[in-house]
Amino acid sequence: MQPQDVVPRPVSGSVADRVVDVEQAEAALVEHYPRLVRIAYLVLSPDLGRGRRVLTAHALAQRALPRPGAPAPVIPAQSTARDGDAGYGYVRLRVLRSALEATLPLKQRARRSRHALVPPVLPMVWGLRLFPRSGGAEELALDQSLASLSAPARAAYVLRGLERLDDAEVRRALTEAGVDDVDSALEAAGAVPARYSLLESPEFDPCSLQARPTDLMRRRRHTRAALAAAAALAVCGALFALPDRDWGPDGAAAPPYARNPAAEAALDPGRLVRVSPVAWKTATRADFSVWPARGELTGDDALLRRALAVWARPGDAVRVSATPGTPAGGPSGPPQLLYAGDVGVARVVILYDGLRIARYAEPEDGTAGAALDLARANGALGPEAGAVVLDRADGNVRYLTAPWVREAAERDLSKPGAGLMNLTLTRGVTSPLASPATRAGACTTWNVLQLSDASGSYLLSDLGEILPARITAGRPAAPKDATGAEALRAWAPFACSLGEVRAQGVRSVNAWAYARQPLPDGSGSGGWVCTRAETWRGDGTRALAQFRTPGGLFGAVVAAAGDVPACGPRDPHVLAGVLWKSEAGSWYLLAAGDRAAESVRATGGVRGESAGNLLAVRTKRGARADLEGTLRGGRAVSGLR
């Protein structure tokens, strides 16, 4: 059976009676988070208001994980149209039950669960109202129709339309979620016209939001009162903290508000480092330090001064983002200017201090709405220093490329035979190309940037940060840029799995096709691939073992682990397994290690052993097993988890 990536479905049978480990539930929650939040948003009462409904839906989805406990990890069943991921079924049931409980009166919630009385703390938004984008007349009519239904009836309509469950599955899901009168809910949901496609529209997408300010006048009054109280508290604290000697606890350090020559130099646009346009041609290192200053506004001292000042002291109105592990604060000395120019409807400045890339952007008509983005770039060489994101708009992204880049093109990583679409390079700036980082909904394509220079070509993918991630393929000890035909074919079924490492400070992602396994029913061979994401900060790595059946468009993630050496240069080995159902209806445990594995063994609920790196054991649905392998030389290796 082939994986179904568009609409995840739980295994049939009672999800509540099955044991689901925390790791499996977490993987399902991360992979299908937008869909789970949409379910919660649609089931919650419209009386909450769109803004509160959005935050509550996110809170319910984020509280859907089970508590960490003793159950051993299980090997997940392969997702199909009929038999899917038990982890997804579990978290969906938790989200559905929580959303239904949230619509009950307080006393009924207390009788059901004491946890339902605890208000969600996160997510929290101050100073903004968030709500989904407005739809058309059809979406408004459907929203009004759903508002007239009870919460169980809304849940039935959503399960029918969004999850594409039949009435028997809907009845079972509502019963497990605690609905008493399922028949009435199904009957009421059936009275609403079946405009199920509208449930996928942006009107009901709480992950694609618009922002508006709250009551500004009331906020201003409250802010003034808070500032007055804080000033009084600071004065009192200073009086008590006055030292009785010449020096305080900081020794000879200057007072906090003293003028510091190094700090002043870092804020002086006249001292910015500007590299010669030809320095890269004779440099021994191809990194950001040899990028020249480009853009038509490199002489605008006022703009550069604002960019430096915001980097050192971003105000409350500045939207600041930083990749995980990126130090905050301004540069310790004058940084290097990489770009200053007009990009779309904004003025953009890009700076580099040897450790970080800083991108400052402000609207053309003022400084309201300014943004500062920071990303680590330490040790970037060659392809890793090949491009920086200039801006994202309307689902597209534009890059500033390295001075040594000769050609730029766009390609779909999920379609290796689609070829390249050339991009225009204007003084190092690419024409816009589609960005997968900002796309909502099911993944069917994954567009990447291909750059070419004197040493060859390489792929970079936008993962929602300033620096795109390098895409490679091959054995972990010697990965190569994924531009060859074999590497592109290896990446194609697993391109959409890059979405799992968005906004995590990823430096590179490698795909390693480590095994091919003949299926027990003779229907062909399945492919095993391990994808590993390395980060700029060192920790936070992510390894995914994925399996693809013959003819399947996409692979399925069967095991995931974070901060482990497996599948990487330090430990270029991996072992993973999956429960697979043949076309005849028989269930098998399939497991595969890399070529260094001399034997593979299954213990627990499934027992079997084989020589070599492949194992296939007939079993039953829902079986749980642990995997162990032995490498050449006698070293033991465990299944990825």
Side-chain angles (χ1 to χ4, degrees), residues 412-472:
D412 186 352
L413 191 59
S414 66
K415 298 177 178 61
L420 294 170
M421 184 175 69
N422 292 329
L423 299 173
T424 303
L425 276 177
T426 306
R427 292 183 293 279
V429 178
T430 68
S431 52
L433 65 151
S435 170
T438 58
R439 182 179 52 217
C443 174
T444 56
T445 62
W446 195 276
N447 295 328
V448 295
L449 174 69
Q450 178 163 324
L451 299 179
S452 301
D453 56 32
S455 62
S457 58
Y458 45 92
L459 298 183
L460 300 173
S461 177
D462 181 15
L463 296 181
E465 297 169 327
I466 305 175
L467 295 181
R470 184 182 183 183
I471 306 300
T472 61

Side-chain angles (χ1 to χ4, degrees), residues 348-372:
V348 175
V349 177
I350 297 180
L351 303 164
Y352 173 61
D353 69 349
L355 173 66
R356 300 166 294 173
I357 294 286
R359 176 187 176 274
Y360 170 79
E362 65 180 27
E364 286 184 335
D365 55 356
T367 59
L372 176 68

